[in-house]
Amino acid sequence: MEIQIFENYEELSINAARLVAAQVRLKPDSVLGLATGSTPLGMYAELVRMHEEENLDFSEVTSLNLDEYLGLGEEDDQSYVSFMREHLFSKINIDPEATYLPDGLAADPEEAAMYYEMLADMVPRDLQILGIGRNGHIGFNEPDDVFPVETHVTDLTESTIQANQRFFKSEEEVPRQAITMGMKQIMAAKKILLLASGAEKAETIADLVFGEVTSQVPASILNLHPDVVIMLDEPAARYLVEEYGFDEEEEDED
Ligand code: GLP
């Protein structure tokens, strides 16, 4: 894993966008795995800027999102399909027909999960963007006794419901379930870029980087992937540096 630490969220976002932009410029028909949450917002804003001011062209890009809340669709502000439209898809020239998310309103969610797994098999990601939950979840793969393999319907943990309630009017409104890609599709990406910002992620980032690979910290599976870049701002890197003595420059010399 390559770990890059930036002074603040803005620098983190700009550098994350540069990596995505390089991917798209080098391979215009890239398949991008996209994530929601507040962390990638700055990166998406910078990609929009690059599209407007630097001719970054998304016309041949395909995107697959990691997850969607069960029970929410495009009419709901808090659905991930709405999030992606608002912050990225409506502001760049990606073909809307080439943007995919699991169907949160499917009559049969299990079937929708199976369909998404098949779709993901057909369009492997060149670059997968990930955020990370405070409990180490990626997508909505919550801590559990085993790593979930395929796209599935999952129950959100209490910690995730509480963390995500800030986007809803009340805790009651936070959906209790989601459809999420499992580890197979995340790990199948050629390259993975994980972003984390803020002190509340510091502990889980240290677990991910220095802890054992365990399904209780779902992101720890990334230690088994050959090409992972982790971009952190200084608060998110605090434990790495203070508790574990991580030194970015020493790593560079290796
Ligand atoms: C949600 C998403 C994750 C995301 C996480 C962290 O639970 N399903 O993909 O990484 O939140 O969100 P934030 O970036 O807002 O901390």
Side-chain angles (χ1 to χ4, degrees):
M1 289 198 285
E2 182 188 327
I3 297 163
Q4 299 180 10
I5 302 172
F6 300 97
E7 206 178 332
N8 54 39
Y9 177 68
E10 197 189 351
E11 284 299 312
L12 163 78
S13 301
I14 289 172
N15 283 280
R18 282 185 186 150
L19 195 149
V20 177
Q23 172 67 44
V24 172
R25 289 200 205 274
L26 288 170
K27 186 173 182 247
D29 62 348
S30 288
V31 180
L32 301 179
L34 299 179
T36 50
S38 47
T39 312
L41 280 175
M43 178 191 78
Y44 290 145
E46 177 63 8
L47 286 171
V48 169
R49 191 199 64 74
M50 289 168 128
H51 167 65
E52 288 168 353
E53 296 173 16
E54 296 170 9
N55 297 321
L56 182 60
D57 179 15
F58 291 89
S59 61
E60 292 177 50
V61 167
T62 299
S63 74
L64 261 84
N65 266 73
L66 283 166
D67 48 13
E68 177 62 283
Y69 287 118
L70 215 60
L72 300 193
E74 48 193 9
E75 304 294 314
D76 298 282
D77 290 351
Q78 298 311 330
S79 68
Y80 285 165
V81 62
S82 298
F83 175 102
M84 291 310 301
R85 277 193 193 148
E86 181 185 345
H87 297 291
L88 190 66
F89 299 158
S90 66
K91 297 180 172 163
I92 58 173
N93 64 337
I94 195 166
D95 175 1
E97 300 285 317
T99 63
Y100 298 97
L101 287 99
D103 181 3
L105 293 180
D108 184 340
E110 304 287 347
E111 196 178 274
M114 268 170 56
Y115 169 80
Y116 205 67
E117 180 74 15
M118 272 161 47
L119 176 77
D121 273 339
M122 287 188 287
V123 273
R125 272 68 59 218
D126 294 292
L127 175 64
Q128 175 67 55
I129 309 296
L130 293 175
I132 185 167
R134 289 175 205 180
N135 62 5
H137 75 239
I138 47 178
F140 270 128
N141 293 283
E142 298 279 29
D144 202 349
D145 293 341
V146 289
F147 284 111
V149 178
E150 300 203 322
T151 307
H152 58 285
V153 176
T154 185
D155 296 330
L156 307 192
T157 60
E158 206 41 52
S159 132
T160 300
I161 292 166
Q162 274 172 27
N164 289 3
Q165 81 171 57
R166 67 191 194 280
F167 300 111
F168 294 82
K169 286 197 199 88
S170 67
E171 195 187 311
E172 286 69 57
E173 282 185 29
V174 185
R176 269 33 186 181
Q177 288 186 306
I179 298 179
T180 182
M181 273 185 191
M183 295 308 184
K184 181 183 136 198
Q185 296 298 344
I186 293 173
M187 293 294 277
K190 279 198 198 119
K191 188 178 185 77
I192 296 179
L193 170 60
L194 182 139
L195 310 176
S197 161
E200 69 274 14
K201 302 287 171 69
E203 211 173 325
T204 197
I205 287 295
D207 286 345
L208 152 63
V209 175
F210 288 113
E212 56 183 25
V213 175
T214 163
S215 54
Q216 296 302 336
V217 183
S220 64
I221 200 168
L222 300 178
N223 284 290
L224 306 178
H225 191 284
D227 189 359
V228 178
V229 177
I230 299 185
M231 292 189 180
L232 307 169
D233 61 8
E234 281 181 2
R238 212 185 72 197
Y239 266 61
L240 284 188
V241 177
E242 286 175 14
E243 306 279 320
Y244 290 88
F246 176 80
D247 182 337
E248 206 179 354
E249 277 164 23
E250 240 174 59
E251 289 283 306
D252 285 349
E253 284 161 18
D254 287 345

